[in-house]
Amino acid sequence: MEFEKKQYKWCGSSQLFIHIMELSLLVLFAGLMNGLTLGYMSMNPVDLEVFIKSGLPKHRRFATKILSLIKRRHLLLCTLIISKSFATEAIPILLNQLLIPETATILISTALILIFTEIIPHSVCARFPLVIGSAMAPAVHILVWICFPVSYPISKLLDIVLGRGRVALYRRAELKTLVNLHGNQGGKGGDLSCHEVSIIQGALEITEKTARDAMTLKSHIFSLDINSKLDRNMMSLIIKKGHSRVPVYHEEPDNILGLILVKNLLAVKPEDEVPIKNLTIRSIPRVHESIPLVQLLNEFQRGLSHMAVVTRPRNGSVEDAYTRRNREEVRLEMYGVPRKRSFRGSMKVLPPATKSFSRSSKRWSGESHPEILNLSSSSSNNNNNNNNHPNPVLKLPKEEEVVGIITMEDVIEELLKDDIYDEMDHYGSSRTSWRIFSRRIHGIAAPN
């Protein structure tokens, strides 16, 4: 009877509406804190930095407001959870003040918390985390300062025990999958074409590939003997091959000591039968077959040479020595003089003789050029040079053997994950057939 009188007293009273408004505000506040907890904690600082640097203007504004909050994740987490707990604990107390039976209070508070502070906030905040998070950022900043005396010690303890957290970056394999999903053939609505996806994936895979994967085997190398002459038949053969650079060897094909640029043969008359050793022969680096392609591309970009000879040790003991030498920083030497720049022991240039060849005058001169091999045309000069300054370029080191050659075009083809064809590459030619065969069987690209 007393309960009915009190219940009657609440009817039409302004206090009833005040308590209902207080209850509604607590439910909304608890739901907002719960939703913000899910939204803020699901955001990655890396993703926000991406939005700030390359996102749409509105996304940049949203991400800038949120990034300052989530830098201290544990402090933000403690603030939001403490605020939500305060609101959810106050809901049953207000319901009890409305003279609702205890069983009904439990059922009503559970329903309100489940629907309005769990399901709906999680659904909305998970769908629009940037918009809601940026809109509530100023209020959350104020809330952080209000709860600071309680939340800071707890967050500091979490920082000590769990750490401040680390930036979650994608691994290389995850990036490849992410790029593939952003392609227009990934089925996710991406706008990247298949060629763009292939190029990006090739750039990610190039660090895992070595010169062995892209080189041309020595059995398919077109090279010239340094003692041969450029007659009409030789010129016709060079033109037919269509290469821009041709390796030059001494005595045996494996002993490659340099290369000639085909464009330099424009001024050579076939009827003069000029010996190849009288031409401008450029130095050619030697690289180990296990050198990464990305490192090889960096060396090609230096402009020293766009072609390199790929070698490998003849036995296991030399392999160990080479591996140890690769871990040390060595200095590239040209003409016996160390160059200023240095890099990991990967490129070895065949050192030329003491004299040099001038590009402008096309004659031997006393000035040295690090990219030009200087070979005396007469045997007497060779003997004199060998007595004073031994010329080691005429022999390949005994501990190494040539397995092929590699050009910058080979590396670019691996980067693009596709063959590069020029005017001399027509379907059915031996060069094109070798490209297709090497791609299918060995995954090797032929040079230009």
Side-chain angles (χ1 to χ4, degrees):
M1 191 69 180
E2 182 180 357
F3 172 75
E4 293 178 354
K5 291 181 179 180
K6 290 183 178 180
Q7 188 178 21
Y8 177 78
K9 182 181 179 180
W10 280 106
C11 294
S13 175
S14 60
Q15 294 184 359
L16 175 64
F17 296 101
I18 293 175
H19 279 73
I20 293 176
M21 290 298 297
E22 292 176 348
L23 180 63
S24 302
L25 290 176
L26 285 176
V27 172
L28 292 177
F29 181 77
L32 182 61
M33 293 299 102
N34 203 3
L36 289 177
T37 303
L38 174 65
Y40 284 138
M41 294 301 107
S42 63
M43 292 182 186
N44 189 350
V46 176
D47 296 335
L48 294 177
E49 291 182 5
V50 171
F51 281 127
I52 294 174
K53 294 179 180 179
S54 58
L56 297 176
K58 62 178 182 179
H59 291 163
R60 293 180 182 179
R61 295 194 304 268
F62 296 159
T64 303
K65 294 180 180 179
I66 297 174
L67 185 60
S68 59
L69 272 175
I70 66 172
K71 284 183 177 179
R72 305 181 68 176
R73 301 180 70 90
H74 288 156
L75 180 62
L76 177 62
L77 177 64
C78 293
T79 300
L80 295 176
I81 291 179
I82 290 173
S83 301
K84 185 198 73 170
S85 300
F86 168 79
T88 54
E89 293 298 329
I91 291 175
I93 298 175
L94 280 179
L95 289 174
N96 190 33
Q97 290 181 356
L98 293 176
L99 303 180
I100 298 176
E102 294 182 356
T103 304
T105 300
I106 295 175
L107 293 177
I108 294 175
S109 63
T110 302
L112 291 175
I113 293 174
L114 180 63
I115 297 175
F116 295 102
T117 68
E118 296 289 344
I119 298 177
I120 295 179
H122 284 183
S123 302
V124 176
C125 292
R127 182 67 178 85
F128 308 102
L130 278 177
V131 177
I132 299 177
S134 62
M136 297 304 302
V140 174
H141 275 292
I142 298 175
L143 201 60
V144 169
W145 285 108
I146 294 175
C147 300
F148 188 82
V150 179
S151 60
Y152 179 76
I154 302 175
S155 64
K156 198 65 178 177
L157 180 61
L158 292 176
D159 291 340
I160 296 174
V161 176
L162 303 178
R164 294 181 61 89
R166 60 179 183 177
V167 178
L169 296 177
Y170 291 104
R171 295 184 295 108
R172 196 173 298 271
E174 294 171 344
L175 280 175
K176 288 166 56 179
T177 304
L178 185 65
V179 170
N180 191 31
L181 292 176
H182 281 74
N184 52 19
Q185 297 180 352
K188 305 295 182 181
D191 57 352
L192 295 178
S193 65
C194 58
H195 296 289
E196 292 172 326
V197 172
S198 179
I199 292 173
I200 297 174
Q201 290 184 345
L204 295 173
E205 294 174 358
I206 195 171
T207 55
E208 303 172 357
K209 296 182 180 180
T210 61
R212 186 190 306 110
D213 301 319
M215 70 179 183
T216 299
L217 299 178
K218 63 179 180 180
S219 58
H220 294 84
I221 298 175
F222 172 68
S223 57
L224 300 176
D225 189 354
I226 194 171
N227 295 318
S228 60
K229 297 181 179 180
L230 284 175
D231 53 13
R232 192 170 299 275
N233 293 332
M234 182 66 70
M235 296 283 284
S236 300
L237 181 59
I238 293 175
I239 295 175
K240 182 180 179 181
K241 292 296 182 179
H243 300 300
S244 61
R245 295 168 177 81
V246 179
V248 176
Y249 65 88
H250 180 261
E251 292 182 351
E252 55 183 17
D254 286 353
N255 191 25
I256 299 175
L257 54 90
L259 60 90
I260 59 173
L261 298 178
V262 175
K263 65 180 181 181
N264 291 342
L265 305 182
L266 292 175
V268 178
K269 297 180 179 180
E271 54 270 16
D272 293 340
E273 297 185 356
V274 179
I276 292 180
K277 61 184 177 182
N278 292 343
L279 299 175
T280 302
I281 301 178
R282 297 178 175 270
S283 301
I284 186 169
R286 294 198 306 267
V287 299
H288 194 267
E289 63 177 359
S290 61
I291 178 177
L293 288 184
V294 63
Q295 185 178 355
L296 187 58
L297 179 61
N298 292 334
E299 301 305 330
F300 281 152
Q301 288 178 322
R302 296 178 185 269
L304 178 65
S305 177
H306 285 181
M307 178 183 288
V309 179
V310 183
T311 63
R312 68 182 175 191
R314 295 182 182 274
N315 52 59
S317 60
V318 179
E319 173 72 25
D320 297 337
Y322 179 86
T323 304
R324 289 193 300 269
R325 188 167 66 250
N326 251 1
R327 289 196 294 264
E328 300 175 356
E329 187 174 354
V330 299
R331 197 174 291 271
L332 178 64
E333 295 187 0
M334 302 293 298
Y335 286 89
V337 179
R339 303 190 73 168
K340 292 183 179 181
R341 63 174 180 260
S342 60
F343 48 89
R344 293 291 173 184
S346 58
M347 303 274 288
K348 297 183 293 179
V349 176
L350 299 171
T354 55
K355 293 184 179 181
S356 66
F357 192 86
S358 174
R359 289 187 186 178
S360 58
S361 63
K362 303 291 184 182
R363 296 178 181 177
W364 298 106
S365 65
E367 299 178 356
S368 63
H369 194 281
E371 299 175 1
I372 307 299
L373 276 178
N374 303 299
L375 302 174
S376 300
S377 58
S378 62
S379 59
S380 60
N381 291 336
N382 282 334
N383 293 333
N384 293 333
N385 289 336
N386 289 335
N387 292 333
N388 299 329
H389 303 280
N391 188 1
V393 306
L394 299 180
K395 291 294 183 182
L396 187 71
K398 295 181 180 181
E399 68 272 10
E400 295 179 352
E401 62 175 344
V402 175
V403 293
I405 60 172
I406 188 170
T407 65
M408 187 169 66
E409 182 181 345
D410 296 331
V411 182
I412 298 300
E413 286 180 342
E414 293 296 329
L415 181 63
L416 301 178
K417 298 184 69 176
D418 199 1
D419 292 325
I420 300 175
Y421 297 100
D422 56 23
E423 298 81 357
M424 301 301 297
D425 294 324
H426 55 87
Y427 187 80
S429 64
S430 58
R431 185 178 174 199
T432 306
S433 301
W434 161 243
R435 286 177 183 266
I436 297 175
F437 174 77
S438 60
R439 281 284 182 182
R440 292 180 178 178
I441 305 302
H442 302 290
I444 301 172
N448 185 20

